[in-house]
Amino acid sequence: MSTLPDEAVRTGGRGSRKAAPSPRRGRRMQRWFGQNPLGLLLSSPYIAFVAVVFLIPFGFGIWMAFHDFYFTAPGVEVESPFVGFENFATVFADPLARKAFLNLLIFLVINVPLTVVLALVFAMGLNTVVHWKGFFRVSYYVPYVTASVATLTVWIFMFNGNGVVNNLLGDLAPDPTWLANQGLIMPLIAVYVTWKNLGFFILLYLAALQNVPSELHEAAEMDGASVWQRFRSVTLPAVRPVTSLVVLLSIITTGQIFTEPYLLTGGGPNGASMTPSLLMYQKGIQQGQPDIAAAIGMILVIVVMIVSLVSRRLTEGKNR
C-alpha cells in the first residue's frame, strides 16, 4: 500500500500548495496603497514635489517658531535653544502684528462677500448671453492671468493724488488721497483683488449654472414662481458646492495677500495696509528675525484653517 509523502501528511493532504494570504493583511495593504497601487506610483512625483516644496519647509518653520533662530553665513553653526512660546508672545505683544491681522479681517469682510455676489451675478448674466459669449468670458478672465505688477501700475495711475479717479471726483476726492488714506487703503486693496480674481470665480459659477437642468426652471415658472423665488429655490441650491469652493479659495487668497500692499504702499501708511505675509517678509528677511516670522506664519495658518472650517460648516451645513 502506497503512503503519502511526509510533506503531504504534515499539510493534511494539500501537498506543497502555498497558504492563501491573510484577509487582514490584504485589507492593510489596500488601506495603505488603495485598490489600484498604480495610481499611487503615477502620483508619486507630485507627492515628492509637495514634500520637498511644502511639507519639509513647513516642518522647519514650526521648528523655528519654537527656537531662538537666526540666519548665519554658510558653514557657520550656532546654537538655537528652545524658547517655547516666547516667539509667539513677542508676536502678540507687537502692535504692528495685531494691526496686520486686523487688516486681514477687514480685507476678508470686504473681499469674500463681494467675490461671491459679483461672481454669481456676472455668471448668471453670461449664462443668458446668446451672442459674443466667448468674448465676454475672455474679457472677464484677462485680469486674472495678467501679472499683478502690470495691473497694479494701472491702479496706481488711477488712484494717486493726480490720478484719473481724483480728477473725475473733483472736490469729492478724499483727502488725503486713496493710497495715503489709512481708512481707505485696505478696502481699496480688497476691491482690487476682487476685480483681479473675479474672472476665475465667474467661470466656476458659469460651469455650475450650465449643469442646472432647464426643466427645473421651467417647472418652477409654470408653478407661478417669481424670478427671485426661482433664484432662491433652484439656482442657489444648485451652485452651493461651488459657493463653498469660492469662499474657501477667497479665504486662502486672503491669507496670502502680499504683492498688493507691498507694491502699492509697502504696508503703509502707518501700517494701515500691513498684512501678516508682508510682516513675515519684513521680520524674516529685512530685519533678520526668522523665528518671529515663523511664529507669525504659524498663527496665520491656524487662523486661516479655523476660518476655512467655519466657512465650510456654514456653506455646506445643509448638505452634510
Side-chain angles (χ1 to χ4, degrees):
M1 183 177 64
S2 62
T3 59
L4 293 173
D6 294 340
E7 184 179 356
V9 172
R10 290 194 303 270
T11 59
R14 292 193 299 269
S16 60
R17 187 172 55 187
K18 294 183 179 179
S22 171
R24 181 179 301 176
R25 180 181 179 184
R27 287 194 298 268
R28 187 183 302 113
M29 295 291 291
Q30 183 176 351
R31 185 169 60 252
W32 281 99
F33 298 103
Q35 295 182 352
N36 189 1
L38 181 61
L40 182 62
L41 177 63
L42 295 176
S43 61
S44 58
Y46 181 73
I47 295 175
F49 170 80
V50 171
V52 172
V53 176
F54 177 74
L55 294 180
I56 296 177
F58 183 74
F60 184 60
I62 295 176
W63 183 88
M64 281 197 302
F66 290 95
H67 290 77
D68 183 12
F69 180 85
Y70 55 93
F71 296 123
T72 60
V76 178
E77 295 184 1
V78 295
E79 294 184 357
S80 300
F82 178 78
V83 294
F85 291 94
E86 182 178 330
N87 292 329
F88 295 90
T90 303
V91 173
F92 287 120
D94 186 358
L96 187 58
R98 296 197 300 267
K99 194 166 188 176
F101 281 96
L102 178 60
N103 293 337
L104 203 66
L105 177 61
I106 296 173
F107 182 95
L108 181 71
V109 170
I110 298 174
N111 174 257
V112 174
L114 199 60
T115 298
V116 173
V117 173
L118 292 181
L120 181 56
V121 169
F122 283 117
M124 293 176 61
L126 284 176
N127 197 40
T128 59
V129 171
V130 178
H131 303 290
W132 299 87
K133 183 177 293 187
F135 170 76
F136 287 114
R137 292 181 184 179
V138 173
S139 300
Y140 285 119
Y141 199 73
V142 165
Y144 179 74
V145 297
T146 305
S148 296
V149 175
T151 54
L152 283 170
T153 302
V154 175
W155 278 65
I156 293 174
F157 172 75
M158 292 174 57
F159 289 95
N160 62 20
N162 298 320
V164 177
V165 176
N166 281 356
N167 290 332
L168 291 176
L169 292 177
D171 295 336
L172 298 177
D175 185 26
T177 189
W178 302 87
L179 300 181
N181 195 306
Q182 297 187 36
L184 294 178
I185 184 60
M186 207 62 200
L188 180 65
I189 293 176
V191 172
Y192 164 80
V193 174
T194 301
W195 165 78
K196 189 177 189 308
N197 296 335
L198 196 61
F200 173 71
F201 298 120
I202 289 175
L203 292 184
L204 291 180
Y205 271 121
L206 188 60
L209 290 172
Q210 291 179 346
N211 289 327
V212 180
S214 59
E215 293 81 3
L216 295 178
H217 289 280
E218 295 173 358
E221 187 175 3
M222 291 179 62
D223 291 338
S226 63
V227 175
W228 168 250
Q229 289 173 333
R230 294 199 301 271
F231 172 77
R232 186 181 60 183
S233 303
V234 178
T235 304
L236 281 183
V239 300
R240 183 183 294 274
V242 175
T243 300
S244 178
L245 177 62
V246 170
V247 172
L248 179 62
L249 293 178
S250 299
I251 293 172
I252 295 175
T253 301
T254 298
Q256 297 174 345
I257 290 298
F258 170 82
T259 306
E260 292 78 10
Y262 177 74
L263 294 179
L264 281 176
T265 62
N270 196 24
S273 62
M274 181 64 67
T275 63
S277 297
L278 180 55
L279 186 60
M280 288 170 58
Y281 167 76
Q282 292 182 352
K283 293 289 186 181
I285 304 300
Q286 295 180 340
Q287 301 177 16
Q289 296 178 306
D291 48 356
I292 303 298
I296 296 173
M298 294 303 104
I299 297 173
L300 179 62
V301 169
I302 294 173
V303 170
V304 171
M305 288 181 60
I306 292 175
V307 176
S308 300
L309 291 174
V310 172
S311 70
R312 184 184 178 190
R313 177 73 64 177
L314 294 176
T315 56
E316 297 183 0
K318 293 183 179 181
N319 288 345
R320 298 181 63 183

